[in-house]
Amino acid sequence: MNILQVGRLEPQLAELVQQRHSPRRLPEGGRRAQFLAEHRDSVTVVLTSGGPVDAELIAALPRLGAIVNSGAGVDNIDLEAARRRHIGVSNTPDVLTDTVADTAIGLILMTLRRFGAADRYVREGRWETEGPFPYARDVNGLRVGILGLGRIGTAIADRLLAFGCVLAYHNRRRLEDCPYRYAASPQELAESVDILVVATAGGAGTEKLVGRAVLEALGSDGYLINIARGSVVDELALVDVLAAGRLAGAGLDVFADEPQVPAALRALDNVVLFPHIGSATARTRRAMAELALRNLESYLTSAALVTPVLRPGG
């Protein structure tokens, strides 16, 4: 055994891996320590679909050379601990970009046009008893700020151009030759837009980047859309400003403690909630699984990764 599975794998990845390999799954709870004591010297690769690979686990595997993650984000992995040990880390970028960008557009439309609420209005028989559904908000021509103009953020921006939206962005650094207005901080960006789309990476560096001050800067006519990570937004502050009417609405695909979603969020009718389905189409998840498998087998045969975040031995 040289492949250790951490957490549950996406079904398509699990199927592909089982056809060619026989990974052992890391037990949870009290059996974990005994398992690691018995198998620590045989593990060279960790395979995960977002299961946590922390510094403690990395330290417990002295022969570990690579961590293969099925997903674009790697905030589930302690990259600093991996870097210190020269352990390679791979992800599955690009193959999910368009699907996640489509999800962001869907959230924007559902949140501002209130399509989900309109559907419930019909199903509950309220159209017959209460008359026409209340007016919603147009998306066309609005000012949209993108927090994190990377692959996914750029794909979202491309789609929003078709709606005639005026675009701005904030990254840690201004992008060369970018046609969109640059804001020097998340708060400055929020102050100047109608919709703030969170598309930045997760992890310690962006935890609660969208805090109370940013949410307040969006204002009572502003909307928050998050397809990044729940950790990027201060969820308690978000609930507060939504409940107090200091934010018009929110569309969320990610949460701070998934799959737990605060009851206060679930109770708000101006919030659209998705169960982290940004990349959840059969075609995209298949492409992610195939790329993760390519990374796994590339490392096993040549000690190289196809899409490295950290290169093995680097």
Side-chain angles (χ1 to χ4, degrees):
M1 185 201 78
N2 56 3
I3 303 170
L4 178 63
Q5 174 187 330
V6 175
R8 181 179 299 175
L9 297 182
E10 282 290 331
Q12 299 210 47
L13 177 57
E15 178 187 352
L16 288 174
V17 170
Q18 289 297 334
Q19 289 172 1
R20 305 189 194 184
H21 306 281
S22 299
R24 294 284 298 274
R25 183 172 177 177
L26 179 67
E28 298 177 0
R31 297 170 52 213
R32 172 172 161 148
Q34 181 180 349
F35 177 93
L36 289 172
E38 293 175 0
H39 300 291
R40 62 194 304 271
D41 292 325
S42 61
V43 174
T44 59
V45 186
V46 161
L47 177 64
T48 181
S49 292
V53 185
D54 56 21
E56 181 182 359
L57 178 59
I58 290 171
L61 301 171
R63 295 187 58 222
L64 182 63
I67 302 166
V68 174
N69 186 57
S70 181
V74 289
D75 49 303
N76 58 309
I77 299 167
D78 191 321
L79 293 180
E80 186 54 39
R83 186 179 288 110
R84 287 196 300 268
R85 286 265 309 276
H86 306 293
I87 293 168
V89 176
S90 68
N91 64 345
T92 55
D94 298 322
V95 293
L96 51 70
T97 296
D98 287 329
T99 302
V100 176
D102 290 347
T103 301
I105 299 301
L107 272 173
I108 291 171
L109 288 170
M110 285 193 68
T111 304
L112 274 75
R113 291 297 309 276
R114 302 189 65 216
F115 289 148
D119 175 78
R120 293 191 295 275
Y121 195 78
V122 175
R123 293 177 186 276
E124 294 166 2
R126 296 172 62 190
W127 190 13
E128 301 171 29
T129 60
E130 300 179 33
F133 186 72
Y135 293 151
R137 181 104 178 252
D138 281 317
V139 174
N140 187 63
L142 292 184
R143 302 167 300 166
V144 182
I146 300 177
L147 186 59
L149 196 67
R151 292 182 179 94
I152 293 172
T154 298
I156 294 169
D158 291 344
R159 285 156 172 76
L160 288 169
L161 290 175
F163 290 87
C165 292
V166 179
L167 302 175
Y169 76 99
H170 171 74
N171 282 11
R172 284 175 293 181
R173 289 176 289 277
R174 186 192 300 265
L175 299 174
E176 295 273 344
D177 301 320
C178 181
Y180 311 130
R181 178 176 60 82
Y182 177 72
S185 70
Q187 185 170 339
E188 180 182 311
L189 181 63
E191 288 171 347
S192 63
V193 298
D194 303 297
I195 305 169
L196 180 65
V197 180
V198 183
T200 189
T206 58
E207 186 172 356
K208 296 185 179 179
L209 184 64
V210 179
R212 186 177 298 273
V214 175
L215 296 169
E216 296 277 7
L218 264 174
S220 59
D221 292 327
Y223 296 84
L224 177 77
I225 305 295
N226 189 6
I227 49 82
R229 286 289 186 266
S231 61
V232 181
V233 175
D234 184 336
E235 200 165 77
L236 291 176
L238 176 61
V239 170
D240 286 347
V241 296
L242 284 166
R246 297 198 297 275
L247 191 65
L252 309 172
D253 185 43
V254 290
F255 305 90
D257 185 24
E258 298 175 5
Q260 307 300 321
V261 178
L265 273 178
R266 290 187 275 115
L268 293 170
D269 201 42
N270 60 340
V271 179
V272 176
L273 307 172
F274 286 175
H276 203 151
I277 56 168
S279 63
T281 68
R283 183 179 68 177
T284 295
R285 290 292 171 87
R286 183 74 180 186
M288 291 168 63
E290 289 173 349
L291 181 52
L293 187 64
R294 284 173 58 204
N295 273 295
L296 174 67
E297 296 186 337
S298 175
Y299 181 77
L300 292 174
T301 57
S302 67
L305 294 168
V306 179
T307 52
V309 176
L310 297 177
R311 296 185 183 279

